[in-house]
Every structure is written in C-alpha cells, then in structure tokens.
Amino acid sequence: MGLFDKVERGLERAVNGAFAKAFRAEVQPVELASAIRRAMDDRAAVMGHGRTMVPNLYTIELSPTDFERLSTYEDALSEELVAAASEHADSQRYQPGGPVQVSFSEGADLETGVFRVRPATTRRSIAPSTQAPSRGPEPQPQTDLQQAPAHRPVTNPARRPWLTIDGERYPLIGALTVIGRDDGVDIILDDPGISRRHCEVRVTNDGPHLVTSIRDLGSTNGTYVNGERITSRRLDDGDQVTVGRTQATFRPGKR
C-alpha cells in the first residue's frame, strides 16, 4: 500500500467516524491533507548536503461555516493531519523547521467548502484555535480554489537567500517573507520584544541576480541592521538583523 493510500485510508476512517456529521458536503479531511502536502512541496528549499528544508507550521483558513463545524473535532483532526504531513516529510526526506504543527483559523471572506493553507516556520508551539482563534494577516486577492498556498516561490530554491537564527537556517522562499509573532506570518519568533507583524524581507530579481531588502512594518521596538535602526534597507552578505532580542545573519544564497 502506497503512502497516499495509507494516509487516505486513515483519514477516511476519521470521516466515517466522528467527522462524518461535521463535514458532509463541506471541506473534507483528505483535501486538507493533500493541500498540506502540496504546500510542503512548493516551499521545499534545498540547502545542500542532502538537506531539504520545509515549513513546519500549516495554518488552515476555513470559512465561518466550516470553522464552526470543525471546532468540535479540531484536536483529533489536527493529530491526523500532523501524522499525514510528517509521513510525507519522511518519505521525501524533508527536514521541517521544527515540530510539524497544524492549526486552524477562520477566514471571513471564504465560502463554505473553500479554504487556504498558509505555511510558515516556527519553533514554538501554537495554541489551538479553539482557545485563541487567529485570523492571521488580511488575505491576498486570489481565486476561489479549494486551496491556495501563500507566497509561491519565484525561482530555484537552491539559489534562495536565507536568515540564520540561533544556528538554524530560515530560507527566504517567497518573494515576500513576513517576520513577527503572529501565527499567520512566514517566520514566527517567540520574542516578547517583537511585534505581531514586525518586518518583511523582499527578494526581487535584478537581471541574473537576486536582491534582498528588509522593511520595518511600523513595529514598536524597531528593526535594526548592523546596529542601525532602519525603515527600509538592502541586505548584503553577513548583515546582522536585530528584531527585539533576536539576532539574524543574512546570507544571499548561491549565485
């Protein structure tokens, strides 16, 4: 039996059990598992020496109707989806940025049966949405698909720049990476001195080269590069970025 068949069968058992009444013709657990796998594949970044980094937090935005129906079974479903995502990471030899976590939030603009998957990297534990619902950032315009991973890669992952934080690499996979404490940002840092949406790192193309810049998002304590408080600035190899009490080193990736 293949991996997908095993995951699908396990989730089908869940549907036939506690989830049968909750989902009916709405969002199906198997669809959520498939969307998480695709989001993981889309954000995979080859870091060399056989290491392929992927996000470890997957926030699923649901319509108000689906979110209400799901909340009763959230813990059990989260466990199933984490198991499915972890099996996929193992089968592809991916290295998540931390323990794999799946959380849920409500998207007021979504219709019943439509959802989004927002991948991010975090090393802290995310509280269940039944305790502290998080709507994340304002959704970006997109078509009403069954799933739409945010911040699609813009070039070969092997060439992407990254930030090193506490000895760990955080690849800058998308054209725009938001850093902060909010559960909906791309790099989540557990630092009380950091704003919920603290700063953003933008990667653009300048001919054959990638150009990386950082911009403060009106944070309370500011964003610093090499000790200087900035509003917006281009990043060069080895630059030290400080947000709150957290320091990061910028590396431009392969050229």
Side-chain angles (χ1 to χ4, degrees), residues 140-191:
Q140 298 179 359
Q142 49 193 304
T143 57
D144 288 339
L145 302 176
Q146 285 296 318
Q147 57 278 329
H151 302 319
R152 300 276 297 188
V154 298
T155 190
N156 183 354
R159 297 183 58 232
R160 303 302 295 181
W162 72 85
L163 294 174
T164 299
I165 304 174
D166 293 335
E168 295 189 18
R169 287 187 180 185
Y170 289 75
L172 303 172
I173 301 299
L176 186 66
T177 300
V178 179
I179 301 172
R181 289 188 298 109
D182 191 277
D183 293 350
V185 303
D186 298 290
I187 298 179
I188 303 171
L189 298 175
D190 190 11
D191 183 334

Side-chain angles (χ1 to χ4, degrees), residues 19-244:
F19 304 127
K21 293 182 181 180
F23 288 98
R24 293 179 183 167
E26 289 81 19
V27 169
Q28 300 295 320
V30 171
E31 295 175 336
L32 299 178
S34 296
I36 291 173
R37 285 196 294 268
R38 282 192 292 272
M40 186 179 291
D41 292 340
D42 287 343
R43 299 293 291 272
V46 179
M47 306 307 296
H49 305 292
R51 297 175 65 236
T52 302
M53 301 291 294
V54 293
N56 66 302
L57 171 63
Y58 298 88
T59 302
I60 300 175
E61 291 189 5
L62 298 163
S63 70
T65 300
D66 286 322
F67 184 80
E68 181 179 0
R69 289 174 178 270
L70 172 66
S71 59
T72 303
Y73 313 100
E74 178 181 358
D75 290 344
L77 181 57
S78 293
E79 291 180 4
E80 291 281 352
L81 293 174
V82 166
S86 297
E87 285 190 40
H88 182 64
D90 289 342
S91 72
Q92 301 300 315
R93 297 186 178 180
Y94 291 154
Q95 183 175 336
V100 176
Q101 303 172 58
V102 176
S103 62
F104 300 88
S105 65
E106 184 178 336
D109 65 314
L110 296 177
E111 298 180 359
T112 300
V114 178
F115 64 91
R116 299 189 189 95
V117 176
R118 296 188 180 275
T121 301
T122 178
R123 283 176 291 167
R124 68 178 172 86
S125 178
I126 303 300
S129 53
T130 51
Q131 298 179 16
S134 172
R135 296 178 181 269
E138 289 298 318
Q140 298 179 359
Q142 49 193 304
T143 57
D144 288 339
L145 302 176
Q146 285 296 318
Q147 57 278 329
H151 302 319
R152 300 276 297 188
V154 298
T155 190
N156 183 354
R159 297 183 58 232
R160 303 302 295 181
W162 72 85
L163 294 174
T164 299
I165 304 174
D166 293 335
E168 295 189 18
R169 287 187 180 185
Y170 289 75
L172 303 172
I173 301 299
L176 186 66
T177 300
V178 179
I179 301 172
R181 289 188 298 109
D182 191 277
D183 293 350
V185 303
D186 298 290
I187 298 179
I188 303 171
L189 298 175
D190 190 11
D191 183 334
I194 295 176
S195 299
R196 295 181 66 83
R197 292 173 59 82
H198 195 100
C199 62
E200 65 180 22
V201 181
R202 185 179 298 271
V203 181
T204 57
N205 287 282
D206 181 10
H209 304 293
L210 294 178
V211 176
T212 305
S213 60
I214 188 168
R215 182 170 73 92
D216 186 77
L217 296 177
S219 64
T220 301
N221 294 324
T223 299
Y224 295 79
V225 176
N226 300 329
E228 178 184 350
R229 186 164 184 166
I230 58 94
T231 300
S232 179
R233 173 169 168 169
R234 176 171 172 169
L235 291 176
D236 295 317
D237 188 15
D239 277 349
Q240 300 294 309
V241 177
T242 303
V243 288

